[in-house]
Amino acid sequence: MPDTVTRKRIRKVLIANRGEIAVRILRACREMGIVSAVIYSEPDRLGLPVLLADEAYPIGPAPSRESYLRGEAIVELAREIGADAIHPGYGFLSERAGFARLCRDAGITFIGPSPEAIDAMGSKVESRRLMMAAGVPVVPGGKDPLPDLESAAAAAETIGYPVMLKAAAGGGGKGMRMIPNASELPGSYRAARSEAAASFGDDSVYLEKYIEQPRHVEIQVLGDAYGRVVSLGERECSLQRRHQKVVEEAPSVAVSPELRRQMGEAAVLAASAVGYSNAGTCEFLLDKNGDFFFLEMNTRLQVEHPVTELVTGIDLVQAQIRVAEGEPLGPELDDVQPRGHAIEVRLYAEDPFRGFAPSPGRIELLRLPEGPGVRNDSGVYEGSEVSIHYDPMLAKLIVWAEDRQRALARLERALAELRVEGIQTTAPLFRALLADPDFRSGNLDIGMLDRKLAAGELKPAADDALGDLPLIAAALAHHGRSHQTGAGPASGAMSGSGSHRSLWKEAGRRDSLRGGSWS
Ligand code: MV4
């Protein structure tokens, strides 16, 4: 063991996050015998993390800038309460090298990679250059900013149309333009530069080959403090809307064992090139020929980490804490293969059939699915207030089964059990997706969800807005009949005027209990 690495047991972790990921992290802490402390903003004072953590500390008012992003105050709090480490979760401070540096300077363990690794992967052109040098396949194209239209035109001819114009300082798709042919280059070039200047304060742009209808496949990696990096396999994340993932699964139907080995090797190469430790994810585009290209690396734990946990049996948050303590990765992680199939759907407080309009409010009724192979990573409970201040993701529903077909059946079953009332959620979208032949066959690409939504191909099921009413109706019909005749099961939801009236009475009773409307 290099003597620069010190092994230090973590006894208390300060969780610098909120919602489901704060709950996820405190669960790992509790199972490891580690004390958990959370911070919370004013609107989050009755949040699930506050109720479940060993300790909870107010950090400020609603705006993130004045609460969850107060790096110095958070490090100071960690010191005051005797926390050895800070877990940043995802979002907020998780990919800020400056925050990781603040922790290091204060002698607090940042549960994540080094500030140097975060910095190296933070810049698009910089990481692209590093990856090319390390031998990681990147999308064909230049690696230098194109200072004028002439250089851009020459580069485009070399690469071959269609090409993709990207902001050097960009990321997440901002300032990105597809250029189908030479005649569209001048206009797009000028527009992209001014857009890049406005968004990033840096107007440099560069060109890549445009990859048509690829999949978004990412590789989970884990690195220890001794330079060892392993791959834990892929996640299929093509089902996204406007760069917001909606459904993720592991493994990908498009990844053979041989391709998994190749992509895993590339991801390990990428991470090793920046001296990566802790959990991280390499994003790739996978084209129709089975060629893959490194896009970027996310230097944090990701929202969709549970699908990897379910197919590998590895608790990624516990693994993060162990490697942060200086524990080396064991030899059992050398050749991890996925077992079975896992699918995650993200439950957002949005109305998927009204343009994904935000739907804040009080969760009046919450019934989460249970039973074999079902996992809920939720940040809310019945009675929770969903505020407009933060990301609208309420919970993740993750299922596991022996194979993809069974996982789909299990997801369908779980979604049939799920009830959320008081606010709209994305659940009806998942029920609609399960009826889609392309989704069912795994025939996915990054544009699929947007295309299907635009074409109106995904529609709410006829009974989706009714919730439990058809079931209640059937039960009441049965009840009424067995009273009258003592016979037989219900034949239909609204058979007989007597049961029809009781149905409405029952619905009204539920309605008054909740003090809301069920229409
Ligand atoms: C691309 C691409 C096609 N060809 N680059 C979007 C976000 C940014 N990180 C990279 N992105 C893309 N880069 C080339 N040369 C298509 C996308 C892309 C995308 C990538 C991953 C996940 C979702 C996406 C949705 C639209 C476009």
Side-chain angles (χ1 to χ4, degrees), residues 124 139 164 166 172-173 176 208-211 216 240 243 283 285 295-296 446:
K124 272 216 67 96
V139 185
M164 192 77 135
K166 294 187 175 185
M176 206 174 66
E208 286 178 2
K209 178 79 190 164
Y210 176 68
I211 310 295
H216 177 191
Q240 54 85 43
H243 306 293
E283 294 189 356
L285 290 178
L295 268 186
E296 52 196 77
I446 57 174

Side-chain angles (χ1 to χ4, degrees), residues 217-218 220 232-237 247-253 255 260 304-312 338-344 398-404 407:
V217 176
E218 58 187 30
Q220 176 72 55
L232 300 180
E234 82 281 5
R235 292 186 286 260
E236 166 66 68
C237 301
V247 180
E248 306 97 349
E249 44 187 304
S252 166
V253 301
V255 176
R260 180 170 304 122
E304 60 272 26
H305 75 276
V307 293
T308 299
E309 295 188 315
L310 293 183
V311 297
T312 62
R339 179 173 167 266
H341 198 93
I343 308 176
E344 171 180 282
I398 315 109
V399 298
W400 180 93
E402 292 77 3
D403 56 47
R404 192 169 186 272

Side-chain angles (χ1 to χ4, degrees), residues 35 93 137 215 250 256 457 468 508:
V35 177
L93 297 165
R215 287 171 183 261
S256 65
E457 277 178 48
D468 282 339

